[in-house]
Amino acid sequence: MRLQWKLTVASLKMFTRQKEAIVWTMLLPLFMVFLFGFVSFEGMEKIQFGVSGAENEPAARLVGRLGEVRTVQVNRGAESAELEQLEAGKRHLVLVLPQGFDPAGKQELRVLVNDGTPEETQMGLLILRKVLDDATFGVQSAPDRIPMAIQSVASRRSSYIDFLLPGVLSLAIMQSGIFGVAFGFVSLRKRGVLRRLSVTPMKPQDFIAAQVAMRLIVLLAQIVVLVGVGILFFDLQFMGRLLDLFAMGLLGGAVFLAIGFFLAGIARTEDQVVPLANVVSLPMMLLSGVFFSRANLPEPVRVVTEFFPLTYLADGMRSIVLEGSTLPALWLQLVGLGLWSILSVWAAVRVFRWE
Amino acid sequence: MFQTGVSVSPVILAVNNLCKRYGELVAVDRVSFSVHRQEIFGILGPNGAGKTSTLEMIETLRPIDAGTVILDGLDVSSHPRQVQQRIGVQLQSASFFEKLNLKELLLLLGELYGRVVDPMELLSEVDLQDRAKAQVEQLSGGQQQRFSIAASLVNDPLLVFLDEPTTGLDPQARRHLWGVIRRIRSEGKTVVLTTHYMEEAEELCDRVAIMDRGRIVADAPPRTLIGDLLASGFKKERVERLANLEDVFLHLTGHALQED
C-alpha cells in the first residue's frame, strides 16, 4: 500500500507540474462553459406548450393550429403530468382545456405559465391568444373572446448552462481519461521510462494502479472545479448531491481510463495515439448530447448514440445536476456504464503491453 | 589501485553458454564468463556484437533462450525478483519521469525497492549534490549519466551494470565518470560495463571480455591481452606516438574535473 501511495503522490506531482495537463483538464472545459454559456442558445429554443383536458374535435383543431406555429412545440398529457413538467422547467405554458371544449362556448381556459421564463411565457400567451381568436372568428360573426385564466407556477428555471455544464464535465472526464492515459503511457514507453522501471522489483500493476488512482483524483477535482465555477459565476441550479456526481463520474472515468489503456496498447508511437484517440472521442463529443440535445438528431443516429458511453455519462450527470436524481433512478446509465467498463477493461487487458 | 585480475575473490556472476536469437540472427552465441566480487569487468566490442543483449538477459530484461546466469548464487531466470533486489542497472537511452527533480526521483526509485534512501548521499556519491532540485532534462550529458548511476545505486546493489556509460561524453566528462565508477568499486560493489572505447577498457577495467558477432573471443586483464599479442610477434606498422591528441586536449584544458 505504501508503494502505491508513494507512486500516486509522485504521479500527482508530475501531473500538476505539467502546464499542458492543467490546460486540458481544467481550463479547456471551463473555456467551453464560458464560451457557450455567454453565447446564449436559448433564443433558438421552441416554446414548449403542454396541453391537457378535452380531446374532442374542436380541441384537436385548436391544438393542430397551435402546433402549426413554427416556434411552438405542443406536448399532450394529463394535467398532473404536464404540471410536473412545468415545475421541472420543461414547459413554458400548460393549457388546460375544459371538458366539452367549444370555441363558441366562452368557457374559461386555464393557462398555467412558467414564472421562470417570462419571455417565452409572454410570447406563448400572445400566440395562444391569436390562435384562440382565429378559432372563434371561424364560428362567430361577432366574436367574444374566450376568457383565459392565467395562473403563474413557480418552476425551476432551467437555462442552457444547466444543460451544458454537466455535458462539458462529462466531456472533460472522457478527454482526460482517453488522451491523458493513452498519450502519457505511450510517451513513458517510448522514452524508456517503463523499461527503466522494469529492472526494479516493482510490479507493473502497482504502477498502473497508481496511474488510475491519480487520474481519478484529478477527475474528482474536475467535478468540484466545474460545478463550483458554475454555481459561482453562472448561477448553476445544482439540484443533486455531489456524492452522486462523484459516483457517476468515477464509473464513467473507469470506462474512459480503460479505453485510454486500450489505445496505449495498440498504438506504437505518440503520433499514432492522437488520431486513434480522436476516432474514438470525436463522434461521442459531437453526438452524445454534450452541447446540444440529442432529440434533434435524425432518428437512426439518435438510436445509435443512445449506447455511447459518453451519452450514458452525460445523461446521468445532467439528470443529477438538473433534476436532483439519485443513483437508483439512474440505473439505466449505471448499467450502461457498467457494461462498457467491463468491455473496455477486458479489451485493455487483452492488448496492453508494458514494452 | 585495486588489482583483482585473476584473483582469489569469489565469483559473484557466472554466465554459462548464454544464447539469444532474434529470428535468423544469433545475437548471443554460447557466451560464458565469470565476474569476481569487486571487479570492474568490461565487455568490449563493436556495435551489434551482442553486448547489450547479453547484459539485458543478465538484468532480467530479456528472456534467456538457452544457457544459465547465476548471480550471487541465484538463477536469474527462476528468481528474477531476488536478482532485481541485488543489482543496479543503468540502461542506454532510458530516461526518468519528467517533472520530478533529482531528489524526488531517487526517493521514488528507492520506494520501488521498498527502501527509504538518502538522496543527498547518493547524489554526492556522483558529485551532483548541487543539482538536487534540478530536473534530468536540465543536466548536461555527463551529469545525466552520473545521475543515472546514482539511480542504479538506490537499492545498495552488489552488482552494478552500466551499458555504455561514457558514449557521447567529452574526455573530461568521461574521466569524471571513471572516477565515479572507481569510487563505487572501492565501496565494495562489483561493476560490469560495456564500452566500445579501447582506452576506456584499458584504463578502467580489471578484466575485459572482447565480444564479436555474438561470441566472446578473449577474456583476460587488458595488460595480459596486450602482452599476449606482443609475445605473438605483433608489431604496429607505425609506432604509437608517446602522446596523443586526447592527452594534448586534457593537458590544455586541465585534468581536473571541470565538467560543471
Side-chain angles (χ1 to χ4, degrees):
Chain A
M1 264 337 266
R2 179 189 159 89
L3 172 60
Q4 271 89 348
W5 167 244
K6 292 282 178 181
L7 271 168
T8 306
V9 171
S11 307
L12 271 171
K13 257 188 213 166
M14 293 177 229
F15 178 85
T16 49
R17 288 177 192 175
Q18 226 174 336
K19 290 187 203 74
E20 318 86 72
I22 302 293
V23 169
W24 282 102
T25 52
M26 298 289 176
L27 295 185
L28 193 68
L30 280 177
F31 176 72
M32 282 184 193
V33 167
F34 272 83
L35 185 71
F36 286 97
F38 283 124
V39 182
S40 174
F41 287 94
E42 281 175 289
M44 293 156 65
E45 227 180 299
K46 286 193 170 183
I47 295 166
Q48 297 290 339
F49 265 93
V51 179
S52 67
E55 292 181 22
N56 57 4
E57 201 268 324
R61 207 170 328 124
L62 179 74
V63 170
R65 284 204 183 140
L66 200 53
E68 281 164 21
V69 180
R70 204 166 44 83
T71 53
V72 167
Q73 171 136 15
V74 177
N75 310 275
R76 279 223 73 140
E79 185 179 343
S80 59
E82 287 304 314
L83 182 62
E84 222 169 82
Q85 294 288 345
L86 184 67
E87 283 168 347
K90 291 185 175 169
R91 301 281 182 271
H92 296 115
L93 310 93
V94 172
L95 177 61
V96 184
L97 297 169
Q99 286 308 316
F101 170 72
D102 172 11
K106 296 182 192 172
Q107 294 153 294
E108 192 181 63
L109 296 187
R110 277 196 300 132
V111 183
L112 311 173
V113 299
N114 185 333
D115 74 347
T117 56
E119 287 162 36
E120 286 83 357
T121 299
Q122 228 25 66
M123 184 70 75
L125 283 174
L126 287 174
I127 292 169
L128 181 60
R129 182 77 262 168
K130 176 80 168 62
V131 170
L132 285 173
D133 286 352
D134 286 352
T136 43
F137 266 125
V139 292
Q140 286 182 311
S141 47
D144 287 311
R145 293 186 132 192
I146 298 172
M148 290 200 293
I150 297 165
Q151 187 186 337
S152 187
V153 174
S155 92
R156 298 198 298 272
R157 179 203 51 89
S158 164
S159 71
Y160 181 59
I161 196 78
D162 299 329
F163 174 88
L164 176 72
L165 195 129
V168 169
L169 182 53
S170 309
L171 178 67
I173 289 172
M174 176 180 82
Q175 299 293 66
S176 55
I178 293 183
F179 281 86
V181 167
F183 196 82
F185 221 82
V186 171
S187 155
L188 286 177
R189 186 162 58 211
K190 199 159 159 264
R191 292 194 301 113
V193 180
L194 298 185
R195 196 167 171 70
R196 181 64 185 80
L197 292 179
S198 59
V199 297
T200 72
M202 181 201 74
K203 298 184 200 74
Q205 54 266 40
D206 291 337
F207 183 71
I208 291 166
Q211 284 287 304
V212 170
M214 179 273 274
R215 293 281 163 193
L216 294 180
I217 291 169
V218 170
L219 182 153
L220 297 183
Q222 286 178 308
I223 294 178
V224 170
V225 167
L226 274 168
V227 169
V229 167
I231 290 172
L232 287 177
F233 295 100
F234 292 98
D235 195 21
L236 173 76
Q237 305 291 299
F238 183 51
M239 308 300 296
R241 293 187 311 163
L242 199 56
L243 270 182
D244 291 325
L245 215 51
F246 280 173
M248 184 63 77
L250 289 176
L251 186 57
V255 173
F256 295 119
L257 286 174
I259 293 178
F261 277 110
F262 171 76
L263 295 177
I266 58 177
R268 258 155 238 294
T269 64
E270 283 122 313
D271 296 338
Q272 288 176 353
V273 161
V274 176
L276 274 172
N278 275 327
V279 163
V280 175
S281 66
L282 265 181
M284 289 200 266
M285 176 172 163
L286 298 175
L287 300 175
S288 283
V290 167
F291 299 107
F292 306 103
S293 167
R294 285 187 309 115
N296 302 327
L297 292 174
E299 188 59 15
V301 179
R302 197 191 60 75
V303 171
V304 172
T305 60
E306 203 80 57
F307 301 101
F308 284 1
L310 186 59
T311 305
Y312 289 123
L313 181 62
D315 286 356
M317 299 295 256
R318 191 167 285 140
S319 185
I320 293 168
V321 170
L322 283 184
E323 287 150 33
S325 303
T326 51
L327 292 183
L330 300 171
W331 64 268
L332 175 70
Q333 283 74 25
L334 293 173
V335 169
L337 287 175
L339 290 175
W340 269 110
S341 65
I342 292 169
L343 179 71
S344 49
V345 168
W346 173 79
V349 169
R350 285 208 54 160
V351 303
F352 188 76
R353 60 211 160 81
W354 186 255
E355 276 187 48
Chain B
M1 187 78 197
F2 209 95
Q3 267 307 341
T4 35
V6 201
S7 74
V8 287
S9 69
V11 169
I12 191 168
L13 173 68
V15 177
N16 199 4
N17 278 320
L18 196 62
C19 295
K20 185 80 213 173
R21 255 174 189 287
Y22 302 110
E24 285 295 289
L25 177 80
V26 182
V28 179
D29 187 8
R30 284 165 288 159
V31 161
S32 301
F33 61 89
S34 310
V35 179
H36 299 264
R37 196 174 282 265
Q38 254 186 307
E39 243 183 338
I40 298 180
F41 183 82
I43 303 176
L44 190 60
N47 287 326
K51 305 185 298 274
T52 298
S53 288
T54 303
L55 227 51
E56 287 181 343
M57 283 189 278
I58 302 170
E59 292 161 351
T60 74
L61 270 174
R62 242 172 237 288
I64 292 169
D65 287 356
T68 54
V69 178
I70 308 295
L71 193 148
D72 194 31
L74 293 160
D75 188 321
V76 168
S77 44
S78 56
H79 299 86
R81 294 264 176 259
Q82 285 99 312
V83 167
Q84 284 162 353
Q85 287 286 1
R86 286 164 170 75
I87 62 173
V89 175
Q90 184 222 27
L91 297 169
Q92 251 184 78
S93 75
S95 57
F96 296 92
F97 292 115
E98 285 171 327
K99 305 291 168 194
L100 292 185
N101 63 38
L102 304 189
K103 211 171 144 183
E104 291 165 333
L105 278 171
L106 291 176
L107 282 168
L108 181 63
L109 282 166
E111 291 291 341
L112 303 184
Y113 291 90
R115 284 168 181 262
V116 181
V117 299
D118 178 354
M120 292 318 290
E121 194 192 313
L122 285 165
L123 287 174
S124 62
E125 185 112 4
V126 297
D127 304 319
L128 280 174
Q129 57 275 37
D130 313 337
R131 307 301 315 265
K133 297 273 175 185
Q135 292 178 8
V136 177
E137 305 91 88
Q138 298 162 339
L139 303 180
S140 71
Q143 290 174 329
Q144 287 194 5
Q145 289 297 45
R146 277 172 9 235
F147 175 71
S148 191
I149 291 179
S152 72
L153 297 176
V154 289
N155 57 329
D156 192 19
L158 292 168
L159 237 139
V160 184
F161 293 93
L162 309 174
D163 199 0
E164 296 191 7
T166 62
T167 297
L169 300 187
D170 62 55
Q172 280 143 344
R174 181 173 305 151
R175 261 146 221 275
H176 191 172
L177 207 76
W178 293 352
V180 166
I181 292 170
R182 288 196 184 103
R183 196 185 301 164
I184 291 168
R185 187 265 294 280
S186 72
E187 283 158 13
K189 299 187 193 311
T190 309
V191 179
V192 175
L193 60 88
T194 64
T195 182
H196 49 235
Y197 296 117
M198 304 303 140
E199 83 280 12
E200 175 164 294
E202 190 176 344
E203 179 87 14
L204 186 63
C205 299
D206 301 315
R207 206 150 52 84
V208 295
I210 298 178
M211 246 186 127
D212 189 32
R213 280 173 252 163
R215 312 196 62 160
I216 288 191
V217 293
D219 176 359
R223 275 172 205 289
T224 312
L225 291 172
I226 295 167
D228 289 354
L229 181 66
L230 292 173
S232 73
F234 173 86
K235 270 214 179 89
K236 261 198 174 187
E237 298 204 348
R238 220 159 45 116
V239 176
E240 185 79 58
R241 285 161 296 185
L242 289 172
N244 62 18
L245 191 59
E246 182 168 328
D247 298 322
V248 174
F249 179 77
L250 287 168
H251 181 73
L252 289 174
T253 57
H255 278 87
L257 306 172
Q258 297 179 334
E259 195 205 338
D260 303 332

